[in-house]
Amino acid sequence: MVNFFSVYKFILHGIMKLVGVRPQTVEIEPGTIMNFWVSSNIPNKIANTPKKSKPAVVFLHGFTMDGIFTWQLQVLSLAKNYTVYVPDFLFFGGSITDKSDRSPEFQAECVAKGLRSMGVERCTLVGFSYGGMVGFKMAELYPNLVESIVVTGSVLALTRSISDASLERLGFKCWPDYLLPNSVKDVRNMLEIATYKFPYLPDWIYKDCFEVMFGNRKEREELLGALVVDDKVSTIADFPQRVHLLWGENDKIFNMETARNLRMYVILPCSKTLTLTSILNNNWLK
C-alpha cells in the first residue's frame, strides 16, 4: 500500500519547485552535508532589469518534521517577497555528518556556514521549538549574520530544570520517549500534545507518519541527549538583535510561565503577540 506521507512529500516538493523554491545540497565541511530549500531570485528578463535583492528569512524547524514539511505554508506565503532559506538540520531531510558533535552549537555553526556559502550576509531567523534553540545559538555566535530573530515555543537553552519541569508536566521520563515514538499510539499522543485542538485522523495516517518521519533514530536520540544542559553551565547571552516571541497560551510543552521568563531574559521591547506575516511586514527586516 502506498504511504500517504511519501506521496504528500513528493507532491509538496513538486509544488515548491513550481513556485521557485528548490533544494540545494551544501558541503559544510568534509563529511558534513546539509540540505537547504531556497527560493530563487531570478532577474526580470522581460523588463530587462535585475530584481532588487530580497530580504533573507531563514526558517528553522522543530524536532519532529524536516524543514520544508514544517514550514510549507509560511514558505508559500513569503517566497514571493523574500529570499527564503529552509535548512534541514543534521539527521533530518538528507542532512548528515560523520562528526560526533550533536550539540545545538554545531547545528548553528553548520547552518551559518551554509548560509554564508550561499552569499547570505544578513538575515532574519524564524525558529520553532528545537529550531528556536539553534536560532538563539546562531544569534549569539554570529551577530553580524543574524539581524533579528522570531522564536515560537522554545527556550534559550534546555536546562535541566526546564527539562524536568516540562517532562513532568507532559508525563514522560525523557525526551526520546516523547519525540521518538515507538508505535502508532505514541505518534498520535505526540501530535495531540504538541497541537491545540488536533483534528481527528484515522490510525492509518499515524501509521504512515510513523513509517517515514522518524529515521536516524540513534543519531536523533543523541541530539536530544546533547540538548539538555546543566543549569550551572548555562549562560544568558546579551543579544544585540531584535528578538520577538510568538507563543500559544495553551502550549503544553513550554508554558506561558516559561515564555514570560524567556522574555525577561532577552529583554524584549514589547510583549504583543503578532502573526509572523505582520512581524515581517512591520519593518522587522529593515
Side-chain angles (χ1 to χ4, degrees), residues 202-226:
D203 282 346
W204 66 267
I205 292 286
Y206 295 106
K207 178 177 179 295
D208 285 359
C209 178
F210 178 64
E211 289 176 354
V212 303
M213 292 297 183
F214 302 99
N216 297 317
R217 294 181 68 93
K218 175 179 178 294
E219 291 82 2
R220 292 191 191 185
E221 186 168 348
E222 292 169 351
L223 290 175
L224 290 172

Side-chain angles (χ1 to χ4, degrees), residues 241-253:
Q241 300 92 344
R242 290 164 292 176
V243 181
H244 204 103
L245 300 183
L246 298 176
W247 223 271
E249 62 181 356
N250 296 299
D251 194 316
K252 302 183 186 74
I253 301 173

Side-chain angles (χ1 to χ4, degrees), residues 230-283:
D230 193 280
D231 291 67
K232 294 180 180 179
V233 302
S234 178
T235 58
I236 300 173
D238 182 16
F239 294 100
Q241 300 92 344
R242 290 164 292 176
V243 181
H244 204 103
L245 300 183
L246 298 176
W247 223 271
E249 62 181 356
N250 296 299
D251 194 316
K252 302 183 186 74
I253 301 173
F254 299 120
N255 58 18
M256 287 300 299
E257 181 183 357
T258 306
R260 285 189 289 268
N261 290 338
L262 177 58
R263 181 182 183 276
M264 179 181 66
Y265 289 143
V266 299
I267 316 177
L268 296 180
C270 66
S271 59
K272 187 177 181 181
T273 300
L274 302 172
T275 65
L276 174 58
T277 300
S278 65
I279 291 173
L280 295 175
N281 291 335
N282 195 29
N283 297 323

Side-chain angles (χ1 to χ4, degrees), residues 170-213:
L170 297 175
F172 292 95
K173 293 182 178 180
C174 61
W175 289 106
D177 286 351
Y178 172 54
L179 293 170
L180 293 173
N182 289 302
S183 67
V184 172
K185 181 181 178 181
D186 289 345
V187 176
R188 179 193 291 274
N189 189 39
M190 180 191 69
L191 294 176
E192 288 179 347
I193 289 174
T195 55
Y196 179 66
K197 292 185 178 179
F198 195 74
Y200 169 79
L201 294 174
D203 282 346
W204 66 267
I205 292 286
Y206 295 106
K207 178 177 179 295
D208 285 359
C209 178
F210 178 64
E211 289 176 354
V212 303
M213 292 297 183

Side-chain angles (χ1 to χ4, degrees), residues 80-210:
K80 181 179 179 180
N81 297 314
Y82 302 91
T83 303
V84 177
Y85 297 84
V86 188
D88 288 321
F89 290 134
L90 297 172
F91 306 113
F92 293 84
S95 297
I96 196 165
T97 184
D98 60 3
K99 305 297 185 295
S100 60
D101 195 340
R102 300 289 185 260
S103 66
E105 290 87 347
F106 186 55
Q107 296 275 21
E109 291 168 5
C110 290
V111 174
K113 289 178 181 178
L115 293 172
R116 290 293 196 195
S117 73
M118 291 184 283
V120 179
E121 297 180 355
R122 296 284 280 170
C123 67
T124 286
L125 297 180
V126 182
F128 164 64
S129 188
Y130 180 65
M133 299 177 217
V134 175
F136 274 129
K137 188 55 64 175
M138 282 184 64
E140 177 186 349
L141 297 175
Y142 304 95
N144 293 328
L145 172 64
V146 180
E147 182 175 7
S148 55
I149 178 170
V150 182
V151 171
T152 179
S154 188
V155 289
L156 281 171
L158 190 59
T159 62
R160 177 63 62 184
S161 59
I162 293 175
S163 175
D164 289 348
S166 296
L167 288 170
E168 182 178 1
R169 189 164 53 248
L170 297 175
F172 292 95
K173 293 182 178 180
C174 61
W175 289 106
D177 286 351
Y178 172 54
L179 293 170
L180 293 173
N182 289 302
S183 67
V184 172
K185 181 181 178 181
D186 289 345
V187 176
R188 179 193 291 274
N189 189 39
M190 180 191 69
L191 294 176
E192 288 179 347
I193 289 174
T195 55
Y196 179 66
K197 292 185 178 179
F198 195 74
Y200 169 79
L201 294 174
D203 282 346
W204 66 267
I205 292 286
Y206 295 106
K207 178 177 179 295
D208 285 359
C209 178
F210 178 64

